[in-house]
Amino acid sequence: MVREHLWWQHGVVYEIYPRSFQDSDGDGVGDIPGILSRLDYLSRLGVDALWLCPVYPSPMADFGYDISDHTGVDPLFGTMGDLETLVSEAHARDLKVLMDLVPNHTSDRHPWFLESRSGRDSGKRDWYVWRDPAPDGGPPNNWLAHFGGRAWEFDGATGQYYLHSFLVQQPDLNWRNAEVRAAMYDVMRSWLDRGVDGFRVDVLWHVVKDDKFRDDPPNPDWVPEDGPYMRLRHVYSADRPEVHEVIREMRDVLDEYDERVMIGEIYLPLERLVAYYGENCCGAHLPFNFQLIELPWNAGAIKRAVDAYESLIPEGGWPNWVLGNHDKYRVLSRIGPAQARVAAMMLLTLRGTPTMYYGDEIGMSNVPIPPDKVCDPYERNIPGLGLGRDPERTPMQWDASPNAGFTTGEPWLPLAADHDSCNVEAQLDGPASMLGLYRRLLELRRSEDALSVGDYVPLEAVGDVFAYMRRRSSRRFIVALNLGHRQQAYPLGGLEGVVVLGTDPGREREVVSGTLHLGASEGVVIAGVP
């Protein structure tokens, strides 16, 4: 029988920030052997794929996103043998492994950049973006770096500026150079040959820049709270039309292998985001859809966004949803613990591939980081605006022991104050716990194709309730989510069925018809709808 859908369409992706998941050697930093020791937990949780943030050799100026060797493993995290064992053991548990591909930039200590910087006549000079100073001796244009300041750094030895869209220590590669493309495609093949199942591609929309190096225009909607980077509209320094040729070539590399997936990190409005599926859907399989992270948390806004997204996805494209990641506030800290349960139900019942962020399944929250414990360069460069990413990167909370079962040493970031009660061990056997809810949702999703690959049918939003139907063949489900903090009645019309899963497990097996009554911050999945 020919399968209608691929594994990544059925599956659920789980993001692991390796520094913070499990430490095996007591140095306070998570590592690959630590992840290996937790594979059974992930298998029992019910996810299908692990996405590992970078574990490559790196000076760690940006905690692994400044890579000095794309095809190795940093000793901080283990060895190549450890990684190969992880892939093998994950596959033995029917878990896929995705690596983080970072194509936009390297470390300034990467051999490629050291050679490029050695002189204007270097064979790799054009592998990076070098420009002469402006007539006044300053930077070539007004482009800004994400982490503060100008995106250009002057190199006195050669008398030119190099581009860095992030830290000074992260020079941008020149993707208009065919040799750069070939080298990075070989990097991809080296990991695919080792059995990894695909890539999450970092800042994919940044990879190609304007060939005329025109100034970015001012952003008329900018407010200081957004940070200095958002003072400009990045129409020339990112999201250039030529990036789609690069993405198509990346996809060609993946298509040399069986069922590998490319997930693109892209923070753009929907109309631009869907372009990254590519012509004839030969681009990114899953351009990351971050709407649930960024939208106001109310039924009307979310319904409009979901319906618009569904209408804009090109034929052959596949949707995806995300509640959190290593760069954004944790969902519980954004919307509160009760609504975080509703959000979990939404994430795992909307049409498309969900990506979970480690710790969300137990209700981890952002952790306040004292000034003397700040690690993130974003916060160090631009303090006081709350832009730092340390609070959502704190160690996974496994048990109530002093270091939460994460390490026998001192954790690299502080632990949450509630880790003695908010942890895996405390929630493992409780169906009403956050972990119990996630496990029940994942089990139901896996057992019912209608909830993974079935159609999405919009229903009317009433008050604070966002509702929709999922259907496939004869199976029908209604998902009704109260995004408000008061009781709400939702008219079912002629629909009726049985609650098969609720944020309140006490409602399960309840027969409903006519009018559905939802408590504050309550969600239900109803089966048997004709």
Side-chain angles (χ1 to χ4, degrees), residues 501-524:
L501 200 152
T503 53
D504 173 5
R507 293 202 66 172
E508 292 169 13
R509 295 184 295 278
E510 176 185 334
V511 177
V512 293
S513 63
T515 299
L516 171 67
H517 295 277
L518 290 172
S521 304
E522 183 178 20
V524 293

Side-chain angles (χ1 to χ4, degrees), residues 415-432:
L415 290 161
D418 68 351
H419 78 268
D420 58 340
S421 57
C422 177
N423 62 68
V424 170
E425 187 177 80
Q427 297 185 26
L428 201 55
D429 297 321

Side-chain angles (χ1 to χ4, degrees), residues 410-466:
E410 181 180 354
W412 77 284
L413 280 175
L415 290 161
D418 68 351
H419 78 268
D420 58 340
S421 57
C422 177
N423 62 68
V424 170
E425 187 177 80
Q427 297 185 26
L428 201 55
D429 297 321
S433 69
M434 181 71 89
L435 181 57
L437 175 62
Y438 266 94
R439 291 177 71 178
R440 289 184 294 122
L441 282 164
L442 287 161
E443 181 181 10
L444 180 63
R445 189 180 189 279
R446 178 167 288 187
S447 66
E448 293 285 354
D449 279 355
L451 291 171
S452 57
V453 297
D455 296 332
Y456 165 83
V457 181
L459 300 176
E460 183 181 0
V462 176
D464 295 321
V465 177
F466 171 43

Side-chain angles (χ1 to χ4, degrees), residues 198-510:
F199 302 99
R200 174 268 191 182
V201 187
D202 186 59
V203 297
L204 184 56
W205 83 110
H206 267 277
V207 166
V208 177
K209 284 76 176 176
D210 182 48
D211 57 353
K212 298 181 178 62
F213 294 91
R214 289 169 282 189
D215 280 355
D216 279 332
N219 178 4
D221 300 320
W222 178 74
V223 293
E225 293 77 15
D226 291 338
Y229 178 73
M230 297 307 296
R231 286 194 297 109
L232 302 178
R233 294 176 55 237
H234 307 286
V235 298
Y236 295 118
S237 55
D239 192 29
R240 300 305 299 158
E242 298 91 335
V243 74
H244 298 289
E245 179 183 343
V246 169
I247 296 169
R248 187 173 63 252
E249 291 176 357
M250 288 181 174
R251 174 67 177 270
D252 287 343
V253 173
L254 285 160
D255 288 347
E256 296 170 11
Y257 300 79
D258 184 41
E259 277 197 63
R260 311 301 167 95
V261 68
M262 175 165 55
I263 305 173
E265 183 194 26
I266 303 154
Y267 283 93
L268 288 174
L270 272 183
E271 295 75 10
R272 295 298 308 135
L273 174 70
V274 295
Y276 283 74
Y277 284 104
E279 186 176 354
N280 299 318
C281 285
C282 289
H285 295 98
L286 299 174
F288 255 148
N289 166 28
F290 296 120
Q291 291 184 91
L292 296 183
I293 295 177
E294 300 180 325
L295 283 169
W297 196 254
N298 66 73
I302 291 178
K303 174 181 168 53
R304 288 189 296 272
V306 174
D307 292 353
Y309 180 54
E310 285 280 352
S311 70
L312 288 170
I313 295 171
E315 184 178 356
W318 190 252
N320 69 95
W321 297 96
V322 188
L323 281 178
N325 59 36
H326 62 287
D327 289 331
K328 299 293 181 180
Y329 260 48
R330 284 192 178 272
V331 60
L332 187 140
S333 294
R334 294 199 313 273
I335 61 177
Q339 282 294 321
R341 295 172 66 85
V342 177
M345 185 169 284
M346 185 186 303
L347 175 72
L348 293 171
T349 59
L350 282 170
R351 188 176 81 96
T353 303
T355 296
M356 295 169 51
Y357 184 48
Y358 84 93
D360 281 354
E361 75 272 21
I362 58 170
M364 284 179 60
S365 58
N366 277 33
V367 178
I369 307 296
D372 63 331
K373 297 290 187 181
V374 169
C375 294
D376 183 19
Y378 201 177
E379 178 68 19
R380 288 180 171 179
N381 288 355
I382 311 174
L385 291 181
L387 300 174
R389 301 163 297 173
D390 290 337
E392 59 263 25
R393 297 177 174 183
T394 56
M396 180 66 174
Q397 297 158 201
W398 295 104
D399 58 37
S401 63
N403 289 331
F406 166 69
T407 182
T408 57
E410 181 180 354
W412 77 284
L413 280 175
L415 290 161
D418 68 351
H419 78 268
D420 58 340
S421 57
C422 177
N423 62 68
V424 170
E425 187 177 80
Q427 297 185 26
L428 201 55
D429 297 321
S433 69
M434 181 71 89
L435 181 57
L437 175 62
Y438 266 94
R439 291 177 71 178
R440 289 184 294 122
L441 282 164
L442 287 161
E443 181 181 10
L444 180 63
R445 189 180 189 279
R446 178 167 288 187
S447 66
E448 293 285 354
D449 279 355
L451 291 171
S452 57
V453 297
D455 296 332
Y456 165 83
V457 181
L459 300 176
E460 183 181 0
V462 176
D464 295 321
V465 177
F466 171 43
Y468 46 93
M469 183 186 293
R470 300 297 311 281
R471 68 184 181 195
R472 181 171 172 82
S473 300
S474 62
R475 297 295 283 165
R476 301 286 189 274
F477 293 88
I478 283 180
V479 181
L481 308 167
N482 186 355
L483 275 60
H485 301 286
R486 57 185 176 85
Q487 292 184 354
Q488 180 77 54
Y490 185 83
L492 291 173
L495 303 175
E496 60 181 5
V498 178
V499 176
V500 291
L501 200 152
T503 53
D504 173 5
R507 293 202 66 172
E508 292 169 13
R509 295 184 295 278
E510 176 185 334

